[in-house]
Every structure is written in C-alpha cells, then in structure tokens.
Amino acid sequence: MDILVTGGAGFIGGHLAERFVRDGHDVVVLDNFDPYYDRRLKEHNVKVAREATEASEGTYELVEGDVRDENLVADLVGGVDYVYHQAAQAGVRANIEPRKYHTVNVDGTLNVLDAARETDLERIVFASSSSVYGKARYLPYDEAHVTEPVSPYGASKLAAERYGLVYGDRYDVPFVSLRYFTVYGPRMRPNMAISNFVSRCTNGDPPEIYGDGSKTRDFTYIEDVLDANRTLLHEDAADGEILNIGSTDTISIERLAETVRDELAPDLDIVYSEGYDIDAEHTHADISKASELLGYEPSRTIEEGVREFIAWYRDNRAWYEPLVRGE
C-alpha cells in the first residue's frame, strides 16, 4: 500500500510511519516540524522510521511541508491509497491564538478532504480527540455523548471531524474518525504528565501535580492506537463512523504520580502546584463501538504501560531526558 501520514514525524504519526514501513508499505510523511515541542524528538522519529526500511520491503519518504499548503497536499494525496491524517496544532492549554488551531486543524483537514474528492482514495483515517466532549454529562463517554469542547483545540478537532463526515456523506470520501484518549508510550511528547513524573523521579526530584490530583484520565498505550489504525487498512466497517480509542482503565493524576514514584523513588513526597481550569475533570472511554467494528481491545493496564515506558526511558535517557527537562 501507498500511505500518506500527515504529521508523520510526531508522536503517534511517527509510530504509524515506522510500523507501516515495517509492515512493508510505502510511506510518505508530511510534517512541518512546528516547534510546539522540541524538533529533536521529531528528528528521532524520522531516524527510527528510516532505519525500519533496512529490514523491510517498505519505503520511507519525508516531505517537510505544511497541511495548509493546498497544492502540496493535493499532490501528495493524489499519489497514495490511504491517508492517516495526524497533523494538528496540539495543546489544550497552550498559549496559542485560536486562529492557528483553526488554520492548521480545520483548513488543513479541508485541504486533505478536497484533495481526496479528486482521487480513488481507499480511506482517510482522522486523528480526533476526547477533547471534543468537554464537560462530562456522564461517564464513560460514548460516541453519542454531547460534544461541547472547552478549548480551541477541542473545537477545531470537532469542526474537522464534522467536515470529514460531511465529505463522506456528500462526496463519497471514505472517512473514519478516531477519538484518542491521552495516548502515551515510548517517544511520547516530552510535556506529558507521565514523562515529567518519570524524569523528576529518576533525578531525585518529587513528582509535581498541577491541582489536587483528583482529576482522572483514560490513558491509552501507543501500541493499542497502532493496532486500531492498522486494522483500518483492511477493514471498511467503520467508514463514516466515529470511534473512541481508549483503554477503559482510568486513573487519578495523584495515583499516576504515586505509581511512578513507587517504581522509581519510593521515599519522595509528591508536591502540588496550581492547576489549570481548562483541563477536563475526568475522561473515560466507552470503546464498545470500536470493539464491535474493529475488534479493538486494549492490551495493557496503565500500571503495565507505565512500567514499559519506564524501561524504555532508562534505555533512552541520554537523548530523551534533555527534551523533557527543556535542556
């Protein structure tokens, strides 16, 4: 298969590109190397994906460009069978003007959708987010839960997702939206809670929680996200659908900090700082729809995934830790 991964040098996109290459596919990655987080992480993701070609029949091509470039996107989409659209301006509480979320996440998605109208594309798989739900009316969230995002990021993801469904209905563009719930694992974004807790405990610093630690999250291990995405290379049952991709295994931020602390530095005390009002109180995914349509099943508890990440962190500390600590 010929596959385009937009945002393919990022965390999830980088893992997808690497896995598709290892599976023997021909992969084109589009990424603009936005400095939202350290470019060195994206360069490492590119390096790993390129190295995957050495033991595979798959190929890898990097195009440094932007999903807001309509002509470039049209050219790339026209040459592939599948598009995994991961490119986005990330950050729920980032100090970024709302219009940038719109131009990247909405206009960029429209460029992909418009290009797909002119091709015989097999499928667009869109990376959406649990941020589209906003304040929980009930838990776990199912896909029918009201969507009232409380951040520009969440609003832009919802708008892009809706455009995709409209294009699927009106223009026969095969489109699937995967709503991810806090994805973590090796090579995760350096500013995530887990990576920060691990870094601090590894260096003898107490894990720091923003708020009182009572907020809960449904953390999803990267391998489970990859499995859902790979299934969509041969499964069309989810075309035109929205699917939650989570773990169903929730944990409070305080318990998460304790889990990391107990594994690495049991004598440390946890410290607390002022929280962020824009953060969701709780997230919890109902994955019954993804299970029914894709056979999706999470493979790890949060405790198992954290232990795997800690082992990876220890093996990769020399290059990864400076990114987490902003050095």
Side-chain angles (χ1 to χ4, degrees), residues 245-264:
I245 302 298
S247 72
T248 76
D249 183 28
T250 61
I251 189 171
S252 71
I253 300 303
E254 184 174 60
R255 181 58 192 145
L256 176 65
E258 291 170 348
T259 299
V260 174
R261 186 270 314 273
D262 293 349
E263 187 77 18
L264 290 171

Side-chain angles (χ1 to χ4, degrees), residues 10 42 64 88 156 159 161 172 183 191 205 211 213 222 224 238 241 259 261 268-269 293 301 303 317:
K42 290 194 170 188
E64 190 163 348
S156 67
E161 181 180 88
D172 295 322
V183 185
N191 62 345
D205 299 321
I222 184 63
D224 295 329
E241 300 290 346
T259 299
R261 186 270 314 273
L268 291 176
D269 293 324
L293 295 180
T301 66
E303 290 81 8
R317 183 180 178 186

Side-chain angles (χ1 to χ4, degrees), residues 124-172:
I124 296 172
V125 182
F126 174 66
S128 189
S129 167
S130 61
S131 294
V132 304
Y133 290 117
K135 187 175 181 179
R137 301 289 183 88
Y138 56 85
L139 291 171
Y141 293 112
D142 58 27
E143 291 84 355
H145 189 286
V146 65
T147 48
E148 294 179 335
V150 296
S151 67
Y153 171 75
S156 67
K157 280 292 187 181
L158 181 59
E161 181 180 88
R162 294 301 180 188
Y163 272 121
L165 295 175
V166 168
Y167 272 63
D169 183 57
R170 293 291 300 274
Y171 307 120
D172 295 322

Side-chain angles (χ1 to χ4, degrees), residues 8-325:
F11 170 40
I12 299 175
H15 276 278
L16 283 172
E18 177 197 355
R19 185 61 56 86
F20 288 146
V21 168
R22 292 191 186 280
D23 289 343
H25 301 296
D26 296 322
V27 177
V28 177
V29 160
L30 173 65
D31 204 293
N32 71 346
F33 289 83
D34 185 274
Y36 175 69
Y37 57 96
D38 201 304
R39 182 185 175 105
R40 289 174 291 177
L41 181 56
K42 290 194 170 188
E43 290 173 343
H44 183 82
N45 289 334
V46 170
K47 176 176 176 287
V48 170
R50 282 180 169 152
E51 289 174 347
T53 64
E54 298 173 4
S56 166
E57 294 182 358
T59 64
Y60 180 90
E61 177 186 356
L62 173 66
V63 177
E64 190 163 348
D66 202 300
V67 291
R68 291 170 289 186
D69 185 334
E70 182 179 357
N71 292 330
L72 175 60
V73 169
D75 181 58
L76 295 177
V77 171
V80 299
D81 304 305
Y82 292 84
V83 176
Y84 283 79
H85 183 36
Q86 306 293 311
Q89 175 58 61
V92 171
R93 58 177 184 250
N95 184 24
I96 297 170
E97 287 298 317
R99 188 165 293 276
K100 186 175 182 184
Y101 290 103
H102 184 90
T103 57
V104 176
N105 300 353
V106 183
D107 290 342
T109 300
L110 281 169
N111 286 340
V112 172
L113 292 168
D114 281 335
R117 290 177 61 185
E118 307 300 322
T119 73
D120 293 323
L121 201 67
E122 293 288 338
R123 185 165 299 110
I124 296 172
V125 182
F126 174 66
S128 189
S129 167
S130 61
S131 294
V132 304
Y133 290 117
K135 187 175 181 179
R137 301 289 183 88
Y138 56 85
L139 291 171
Y141 293 112
D142 58 27
E143 291 84 355
H145 189 286
V146 65
T147 48
E148 294 179 335
V150 296
S151 67
Y153 171 75
S156 67
K157 280 292 187 181
L158 181 59
E161 181 180 88
R162 294 301 180 188
Y163 272 121
L165 295 175
V166 168
Y167 272 63
D169 183 57
R170 293 291 300 274
Y171 307 120
D172 295 322
V173 174
F175 181 88
V176 179
S177 182
L178 302 182
R179 289 178 177 169
Y180 298 143
F181 281 70
T182 316
V183 185
Y184 74 103
R187 309 195 323 252
M188 76 170 78
R189 288 199 341 237
N191 62 345
M192 301 288 282
I194 294 174
S195 51
N196 273 287
F197 291 160
V198 172
S199 174
R200 291 181 67 86
C201 289
T202 298
N203 288 280
D205 299 321
E208 182 177 9
I209 292 174
Y210 297 100
D212 63 6
S214 63
K215 293 177 179 178
T216 61
R217 291 291 179 270
D218 189 327
F219 286 95
T220 314
Y221 198 68
I222 184 63
E223 289 294 331
D224 295 329
V225 170
L226 295 183
D227 286 346
N229 279 277
R230 292 170 73 204
T231 299
L232 289 167
L233 281 175
H234 56 79
E235 177 59 72
D236 63 4
D239 285 355
E241 300 290 346
I242 296 167
L243 305 178
N244 287 336
I245 302 298
S247 72
T248 76
D249 183 28
T250 61
I251 189 171
S252 71
I253 300 303
E254 184 174 60
R255 181 58 192 145
L256 176 65
E258 291 170 348
T259 299
V260 174
R261 186 270 314 273
D262 293 349
E263 187 77 18
L264 290 171
D267 294 334
L268 291 176
D269 293 324
I270 295 172
V271 297
Y272 299 82
S273 300
E274 185 177 355
Y276 296 89
D277 292 337
I278 202 169
D279 286 346
E281 287 293 323
H282 307 286
T283 66
H284 187 190
D286 180 337
I287 62 165
S288 56
K289 188 176 179 181
S291 179
E292 177 185 354
L293 295 180
L294 302 182
Y296 172 75
E297 293 295 338
S299 61
R300 293 161 176 81
T301 66
I302 181 64
E303 290 81 8
E304 290 168 340
V306 164
R307 283 195 292 271
E308 286 192 37
F309 176 73
I310 288 173
W312 176 87
Y313 192 101
R314 285 168 167 157
D315 290 341
N316 292 270
R317 183 180 178 186
W319 72 267
Y320 184 73
E321 186 170 278
L323 278 60
V324 181
R325 298 175 73 85

